[in-house]
Amino acid sequence: MFKKFEEKENVSGLNQVKSSVLRGIRSTLLDQYPQIEPYLDEIVPKKGALKVVKCQEHIEVLAGANGELLFFKQREGPFYPTLKLVHKYPFIAPAMQVDKGAIRFVLSGANIMCPGLTSPGGRMTRVDKDTIVILTAEGKENAIAVGITKMSTDEILQKNKGIAIDNIHFLNDGLWHMKPVK
């Protein structure tokens, strides 16, 4: 999604969010990420100046009062947390760990294959299909990507073949390098 994302070329507009829309966004975020409830006022304040950065391919990025990029979504899809937000709140979504051999592929934007999760260096949290997950790497402290599962954990263990997680946003992609909005 953000592999060839260039801020100058892909950003088409910036809008301030109305308070009624802000309430809807906060409600959606709480439904998607119930574990952030104690921190929601820090992340998306009720009276804060939330901005929506409109990008090509129907992508919308939510930016906080200080311009920090928080969440993004494509069309009417779910909100995905940005990696910068994940580094501050690592518990925002379930975590999956890939083995050392998969790190360079994940960082180049490749999807995560089942063997990268089921090998001795990989670890999984029990989740269903179509769950937003945070990807960590064996031997690394911080998250390296955000993705969405294509199979449940049980299916991944059973099949051990094919794509397990779609890589949506990873370190050093276009969104990672996007500057805070003003």
Side-chain angles (χ1 to χ4, degrees):
M1 189 182 289
F2 293 103
K3 203 169 192 175
K4 295 181 180 177
F5 184 86
E6 291 288 329
E7 188 175 351
K8 290 176 184 169
E9 297 170 17
N10 294 63
V11 173
S12 59
L14 175 69
N15 296 331
Q16 186 81 25
V17 175
K18 294 179 183 177
S19 60
S20 58
V21 175
L22 178 61
R23 282 193 299 275
I25 289 171
R26 284 174 53 91
S27 165
T28 303
L29 290 173
L30 269 178
D31 289 345
Q32 270 188 264
Y33 305 102
Q35 58 277 23
I36 67 165
E37 186 170 12
Y39 306 95
L40 189 61
D41 287 333
E42 288 174 37
I43 300 170
V44 184
K46 288 179 185 174
K47 302 262 184 197
L50 188 70
K51 297 175 186 111
V52 174
V53 180
K54 298 208 181 256
C55 305
Q56 290 180 353
E57 297 181 37
H58 302 280
I59 296 171
E60 293 180 354
V61 183
L62 297 180
N66 59 356
E68 180 184 11
L69 306 175
L70 305 170
F71 293 91
F72 64 94
K73 73 175 187 170
Q74 188 171 25
R75 296 192 187 268
E76 298 304 313
F79 281 106
Y80 296 94
T82 62
L83 275 170
K84 291 179 182 179
L85 183 68
V86 167
H87 289 167
K88 287 183 182 175
Y89 303 96
F91 52 83
I92 199 166
M96 303 284 226
Q97 179 176 302
V98 295
D99 62 9
K100 285 182 179 177
I103 295 172
R104 69 184 180 121
F105 297 106
V106 173
L107 293 179
S108 65
N111 291 328
I112 293 74
M113 308 303 277
C114 292
L117 296 167
T118 57
S119 67
R123 259 191 275 141
M124 292 189 287
T125 304
R126 195 164 290 287
V127 294
D128 294 326
K129 182 181 178 184
D130 296 325
T131 302
I132 296 169
V133 294
I134 294 167
L135 288 156
T136 60
E138 178 184 12
K140 304 294 178 202
E141 189 177 321
N142 290 319
I144 61 169
V146 174
I148 188 163
T149 56
K150 289 287 137 205
M151 300 182 215
S152 69
T153 311
D154 296 332
E155 284 180 278
I156 293 169
L157 288 168
Q158 184 184 21
K159 290 182 182 176
N160 203 19
K161 271 188 182 157
I163 297 172
I165 301 171
D166 271 347
N167 191 345
I168 305 293
H169 167 43
F170 54 95
L171 282 177
N172 290 323
D173 68 1
L175 184 60
W176 174 261
H177 287 293
M178 191 170 164
K179 292 176 177 54
V181 295
K182 293 177 181 155

